[in-house]
Amino acid sequence: MEIEVQRGDARDAQVDALIVGVPEGAGLPRALGSLDAALGGALRAYLDSGQFSGKSSELVQIPARGTRAGRVLLVGLGKERSVDAEALRGAASRAGRALRSAKLKSAAAVLAGLRRPAPEAMAQAWAEGVLGGQYRFDRYRTLETPGPPLERLQLLAGDARHLAALRRGARAGAIIGEASCLARDLSNEPGSVATPEYLAQRARALARETGLRATIFGERELERAGMQGILTVGRGSANPPRLIVLEHGAPAPAARRRAARGRARPTIALVGKGVAFDSGGISIKPAAGMDEMKHDMAGGAAVIAALRAVAQLALPLHVVGLVPAAQNLPDGKAYLPGDVIRSASGKTIEVLNTDAEGRILLADALHHARSFEPQAVIDLATLTGACVVALGHECAAVLGNDQRLIDRVIAAGERVGERAWQLPLWDAYKKQIKGTTGDLKNTGGRPAGTITAAAFLSHFTENLSWAHLDIAAVAWRAGGDAESGARGATGFGVRLLLDLLRAWKT
Ligand code: BES
Ligand code: MN
Ligand code: ZN
């Protein structure tokens, strides 16, 4: 989909659909007067009759007689006072979905009449929203196909004042929106396709396209680095494990010298759980819903996608993405309850349940992150079912050892509609995972499962500034409770990470 910002009159746009966002309870914005006149007063008539009031759930399509467009899509933005980037993105997403259902090829969003958010954020929200709304995972469908996506989206500015800012926003929105779609694609891909090696190849390919540095640890490299956590979790699968490392803005030798003088780009490490399928292993999961465990690499997908966007946006940071990837399967070679694993850090892990595999491979990846001397480490993981119980599907859980970082994560999530709620990580919880044969047990029992999982990770992030996002409840929407398009992977975390990184200040 091509996105272009143009100055122009909505009446003259030759597109399949004009998209008009209307806030609730503010009447018809004056700037839409001429469009309304061309439409024979249809906009005002809809508002006056109460058939459309601008509520954020509303979307109506009306004929566009008197203009050069095929139809007009009125989308509600919600209460005038609370129209912000997030409200706009939501409306744009609903419009994007409707355009796809109607199999339209081109659309123009009318920006005149929208007073908030600021131009750059406004264009970003339109681009991200329409891209997200248009998203379908349809590569395996041959019978009822949703039809191709939009070819062209215009953002129509009423005047020339903010064109540069709008263009900046549209570009960022396109990059970030497409990164979300990439994360969703990777996560929606079946487990037999999106193997650890597949993820590594995709990472390598996008590194080549965008100038990232890719380093893939195969079994030999994992052995050499002592990453028995990753190797052990992956041992039951015919598809061997990998550690994928993507780097943007890696300091060149000269910069490293500057770094010694304290003027380097800050280094941020992003770690994503990449369990390419989680059957539970020998501690096998029940059959019902096990298909959803193809999404157990959603954290890794978010990290890979975010890295691509970081490169495209050329952020002035050194960002390292680490994705430990493995399939957790039962097999003659699979790891066993009772096994003791020596992790790369040297700490030993006693396996009580092979289904608590994420924390074992994250332990090695978090330990490796240390070698980049990062200013902050953020991990994303579909780590615990307990997180679904604790918070439901409205937010991720966030825990960590640096309140300032946690606050920034929460604030970024709030801005982009990917909310996170903090759970406590007091030392008292550590006793639940204290080992007997080894240093640490890989499960802490039923109570506070999300917290004890984070407490486990905290043993591998000592002296780092670290925040952990448990995205188990928000990484995908189950078939039953979601309409098509919204179903499956959500790409949760991509927008949060990019918002955080774009605003990063040391
Ligand atoms: N990937 C799962 C967590 C999960 C469950 C994510 C449901 C999304 C939805 C993880 O590897 C897991 O199996 N965790 C166990 C841990 C337990 C054995 C301590 C869990 O949550 O049951
Ligand atoms: Mn598991
Ligand atoms: Zn898992």
Side-chain angles (χ1 to χ4, degrees):
M1 183 171 101
E2 231 169 90
I3 303 176
E4 51 198 35
V5 173
Q6 276 168 0
R7 213 207 78 76
D9 191 313
R11 292 172 297 188
D12 301 328
Q14 287 190 44
V15 286
D16 294 335
L18 283 174
I19 315 169
V20 182
V22 183
E24 183 183 356
L28 187 70
R30 180 129 24 96
L32 295 179
S34 57
L35 176 62
D36 187 43
L39 293 167
L43 297 183
R44 191 176 298 281
Y46 260 89
L47 282 166
D48 289 349
S49 70
Q51 286 182 67
F52 178 89
S53 59
K55 284 200 190 55
S56 59
S57 57
E58 287 175 323
L59 188 150
V60 297
Q61 306 193 25
I62 63 176
R65 263 168 303 172
T67 76
R68 302 171 81 177
R71 63 179 84 180
V72 175
L73 228 77
L74 289 180
V75 281
L77 301 176
K79 289 260 184 313
E80 148 98 328
R81 260 171 300 108
S82 49
V83 174
D84 56 7
E86 201 28 44
L88 199 55
R89 199 186 54 75
S93 165
R94 275 176 276 117
R97 194 170 309 164
L99 296 169
R100 182 91 197 243
S101 306
K103 301 193 192 311
L104 302 188
K105 292 217 164 64
S106 61
V110 180
L111 306 190
L114 299 177
R115 262 173 300 176
R116 266 183 321 246
E120 187 165 344
M122 182 185 292
Q124 184 185 333
W126 274 112
E128 272 181 31
V130 172
L131 278 166
Q134 289 257 307
Y135 179 83
R136 295 283 187 286
F137 185 68
D138 58 1
R139 39 178 313 209
Y140 298 107
R141 302 194 60 157
T142 67
L143 297 179
E144 285 164 58
T145 57
L150 275 189
E151 284 163 13
R152 195 161 53 97
L153 173 68
Q154 293 176 23
L155 304 183
L156 273 188
D159 60 65
R161 270 181 306 163
H162 303 300
L163 284 178
L166 289 169
R167 293 210 165 100
R168 273 199 309 278
R171 179 166 183 274
I175 289 171
I176 296 167
E178 271 157 19
S180 273
C181 293
L182 169 63
R184 294 170 77 177
D185 266 344
L186 292 172
S187 182
N188 283 328
E189 206 55 76
S192 298
V193 175
T195 60
E197 173 60 13
Y198 172 93
L199 293 174
Q201 288 311 331
R202 291 291 302 263
R204 225 197 274 277
L206 67 89
R208 226 177 289 122
E209 286 156 24
T210 57
L212 291 161
R213 177 191 291 172
T215 312
I216 312 293
F217 288 58
E219 287 168 289
R220 214 159 351 109
E221 291 82 11
L222 290 167
E223 285 287 353
R224 224 174 283 140
M227 299 202 188
Q228 288 302 322
I230 297 173
L231 283 164
T232 301
V233 169
R235 217 167 57 205
S237 173
N239 302 117
R242 299 283 184 262
L243 173 64
I244 301 163
V245 184
L246 289 175
E247 258 182 284
H248 163 78
R256 211 166 297 140
R257 279 196 298 280
R258 275 201 302 281
R261 282 182 267 128
R263 280 198 290 131
R265 300 171 159 206
T267 298
I268 317 291
L270 309 176
V271 180
K273 173 177 172 179
V275 174
F277 187 79
D278 181 14
S279 72
I282 296 297
S283 313
I284 198 162
K285 290 178 180 295
M290 201 202 273
D291 58 301
E292 293 177 11
M293 284 299 132
K294 70 176 184 176
H295 294 298
D296 211 17
M297 33 57 74
V303 167
I304 291 171
L307 260 289
R308 183 178 76 175
V310 163
Q312 290 169 332
L313 293 166
L315 296 190
L317 300 167
H318 175 212
V319 184
V320 189
L322 302 103
V323 179
Q327 284 183 332
N328 187 22
L329 297 180
D331 175 79
K333 293 206 188 79
Y335 76 129
L336 306 173
D339 282 358
V340 179
I341 305 167
R342 191 173 304 276
S343 71
S345 73
K347 290 184 184 172
T348 57
I349 302 165
E350 193 179 332
V351 178
L352 297 188
N353 187 323
T354 63
D355 197 11
E357 83 297 338
R359 61 198 78 182
I360 300 175
L361 46 70
L362 285 170
D364 282 352
L366 289 167
H367 179 73
H368 187 60
R370 202 178 277 282
S371 64
F372 296 94
E373 297 176 30
Q375 203 173 80
V377 181
I378 301 161
D379 81 76
L380 293 88
T382 48
L383 204 60
T384 64
C387 192
V388 188
V389 177
L391 297 171
H393 297 285
E394 304 308 322
C395 61
V398 60
L399 308 93
N401 60 12
D402 178 352
Q403 193 58 44
R404 231 183 108 227
L405 179 64
I406 292 168
D407 288 341
R408 286 161 108 167
V409 167
I410 293 171
E414 198 68 51
R415 283 193 294 269
V416 303
E418 294 182 339
R419 284 192 290 201
W421 190 258
Q422 188 176 2
L423 297 179
L425 189 51
W426 298 311
D427 275 342
Y429 289 105
K430 284 191 177 167
K431 58 179 175 288
Q432 281 176 248
I433 51 160
K434 197 169 157 28
T436 47
T437 314
D439 299 328
L440 302 170
K441 297 191 290 196
N442 82 326
T443 78
R446 292 261 299 163
T450 301
I451 300 175
T452 56
F456 180 97
L457 298 180
S458 76
H459 279 277
F460 303 91
T461 57
E462 283 162 350
N463 307 315
L464 292 171
S465 162
W466 162 69
H468 157 65
L469 281 160
D470 192 328
I471 59 170
V474 290
W476 71 89
R477 287 190 202 94
D481 52 82
E483 52 181 307
S484 73
R487 197 177 295 150
T490 59
F492 188 102
V494 173
R495 285 184 288 117
L496 185 156
L497 289 174
L498 290 164
D499 188 272
L500 184 74
L501 293 174
R502 291 176 83 204
W504 192 264
K505 291 202 190 63
T506 48

